[in-house]
Amino acid sequence: MDFFAVSAKAVAAVVTSSFDPSLDIPERSRGELVVCERVEAIKEDGNEEEKEWDFEEPIDQPATNTRHTWSTEMMNEAYAFYRTGQKLRNPGKEGCRSLTSMNKKFRWLKTDQDLRTLVHYGKSGNKPTNRNEQLRLLAEALDEEVTALIDSGAEFHDYNLKEMAIALNEKKKCWPKFTSSERWIRQWKSHYRVTGRHITKIVSVKNKKDEGKIKEQVDELRAQVQQIVEEHPDIYIWNCDQTGMVKEAHGKRTLARKGVKKVVCVAQSVGATTSSITLLPIIGMDGYVKPKIFVQLGEPGGKLPKKGCYRDSTLDITFYKEVLFSGFVPPKSLLILDSWPAFKDHDAIRPCAPPNCQLFIVNIPPGGTAMCQPADISFNHQLKGIQKRLKSIILAKKIDYRVSQETIYLLKFVSQLHWCMGADRFKGFVSYGFYKGGFTTTKPAPFESPKDYMFGSGSMAACDNCSSLSCTKCPRCEKPHCFDCFWNKLHRC
């Protein structure tokens, strides 16, 4: 089918460069679309009469162009063609051309201001400012100010961004017609990945200002550890960090129908969702997990300490001799501890170590736990994540197992969980906490987190013991097991 047809009369008009919009282009009998493309030939300005223009006059405001970028090659070619015009138009000076003549060859010259800008460039050599480039510079300057605001912890919104953008534009003279529209703010937020977020924590201005000081102290601690390692290359680095664990943990999200405003989740015991125990695991930079874990249950009188998870008195002989320095103790050991008073008393810790152990102790500065505590960065998070996943399985499958009802169930769960975390396949995961904390520059090989492995691919199959539907994959023997065989009967392999 011939979709494009031009009449002979139209072709003749194109050749003579005198297009007549009243040309009669016949329509097809069967209703096909007929398209005629207008083509104009550039005509010399020989005897063409134009009105007077002032393109040679200097312009007061800075030269600007349209949104399209004018390259230097484009402008040089256009200006050279502009000067090939007849000198009669500009007596006693160089040749010049009219806007109509220039537009026929250079379609991007559309207005008088465009041609004035071109002439200004040819005389001064100053390339005109590009709107897009100026707005990009403005956006980058706004990003710097917003980054400083975010780092300072200030609360701000879209109207603050609008005010900041307008003030920056006035200061830097980026674009005279900039209004900081809602569309521009929306596109800026999308480009620089800025969005509204729920505030999860409120801190005082004093604590926020202390972050820089804490970071300096953490850097000094890392340098201290690095110096000890350089002097003793065969030293073992261990980390102890307490973590609170509620007896019945629940996640913050669940599946529900769209549009539902209230989502209710059941618990075996509401009181157990707030009552907690304290775990104190010991991990090494080489991926080692101490076989023993210190567990602090409720106080005998039913009272919890006002600060912390347990009293310092419970960390004396019981923890140091029966957990920390029991079993395997390396001849050279570096302990990275937090700033608890009991951990800062080095004179009380050293006598508990074996006589042949050369012990070094360093303390993480107050407030620096989240920055460099290896166990807090990786290990303890997985303990709580696995607990939440198991609680979800118990409630979804209606398994008759209540962790919070009997102390023995709670201790069995902690024992099995800690045994799983000590599997050899999780050594890279344990070491990652020290790498992330800045105590080593050797990044562990890619690994799979304990929760992803134990409840991921291969966990839902026939139980290796009773052929029931499994829910957990053992990280040691790599076989699937049901809840009763693995968690209740404490599978060992």
Side-chain angles (χ1 to χ4, degrees), residues 74-307:
M74 292 170 55
M75 299 184 68
N76 289 339
E77 181 184 1
Y79 185 71
F81 180 75
Y82 174 78
R83 288 306 182 190
T84 60
Q86 294 185 2
K87 295 185 179 181
L88 296 176
R89 298 182 177 280
N90 196 12
K93 299 181 181 179
E94 298 177 281
C96 56
R97 290 180 177 273
S98 65
L99 175 62
T100 303
S101 175
M102 294 295 294
N103 177 258
K104 289 178 180 180
K105 185 173 183 180
F106 304 99
R107 295 295 185 181
W108 44 273
L109 293 172
K110 299 180 179 180
T111 64
D112 292 351
Q113 179 64 24
D114 291 344
L115 190 52
R116 289 192 184 94
T117 301
L118 177 65
V119 175
H120 177 76
Y121 164 76
K123 291 183 176 181
S124 64
N126 297 327
K127 189 176 180 181
T129 303
N130 177 256
R131 175 181 181 273
N132 289 347
E133 179 66 17
Q134 291 300 105
L135 292 182
R136 184 186 64 82
L137 297 176
L138 176 62
E140 291 178 353
L142 180 61
D143 178 56
E144 293 179 0
E145 291 203 359
V146 168
T147 301
L149 272 180
I150 294 176
D151 293 340
S152 67
E155 177 186 348
F156 62 103
H157 304 277
D158 285 4
Y159 60 86
N160 301 110
L161 289 179
K162 186 180 181 70
E163 293 177 357
M164 293 164 59
I166 292 176
L168 282 173
N169 183 62
E170 293 179 355
K171 178 181 178 180
K172 297 180 176 295
K173 307 296 182 183
C174 293
W175 195 255
K177 297 182 180 180
F178 178 75
T179 59
S180 186
S181 63
E182 293 183 2
R183 179 174 176 270
W184 189 88
I185 293 293
R186 184 170 59 253
Q187 291 180 342
W188 181 90
K189 290 169 60 179
S190 175
H191 179 77
Y192 287 97
R193 299 175 60 83
V194 176
T195 184
R197 298 297 301 272
H198 176 70
I199 299 175
T200 57
K201 187 177 180 180
I202 301 293
V203 298
S204 65
V205 176
K206 180 180 180 301
N207 291 340
K208 190 65 178 178
K209 291 181 178 179
D210 290 343
E211 281 189 1
K213 183 179 179 181
I214 295 174
K215 190 177 183 303
E216 292 179 359
Q217 295 175 349
V218 169
D219 292 338
E220 293 177 0
L221 172 66
R222 292 166 176 164
Q224 182 183 359
V225 171
Q226 185 65 28
Q227 182 179 358
I228 295 175
V229 172
E230 291 177 355
E231 296 175 357
H232 306 275
D234 56 343
I235 197 169
Y236 286 75
I237 302 178
W238 286 1
N239 175 236
C240 311
D241 181 41
Q242 71 284 352
T243 179
M245 179 181 289
V246 295
K247 296 180 179 180
E248 187 172 341
H250 288 271
K252 299 296 184 181
R253 303 181 67 84
T254 184
L255 296 178
R257 297 289 183 183
K258 287 185 177 181
V260 177
K261 294 184 179 181
K262 292 185 178 181
V263 179
V264 180
C265 181
V266 298
Q268 292 179 335
S269 173
V270 177
T273 60
T274 56
S275 300
S276 64
I277 62 173
T278 300
L279 309 179
L280 186 56
I282 304 169
I283 62 175
M285 192 168 69
D286 59 348
Y288 172 77
V289 177
K290 193 78 172 178
K292 286 187 178 181
I293 183 173
F294 185 81
V295 181
Q296 175 70 22
L297 301 176
E299 293 290 324
K303 296 181 180 180
L304 293 175
K306 294 181 180 180
K307 298 184 70 176

Side-chain angles (χ1 to χ4, degrees), residues 366-386:
T369 298
M371 297 182 184
C372 64
Q373 183 84 273
D376 186 69
I377 292 174
S378 59
F379 192 86
N380 294 341
H381 285 284
Q382 285 293 308
L383 291 177
K384 299 176 182 180
I386 293 175

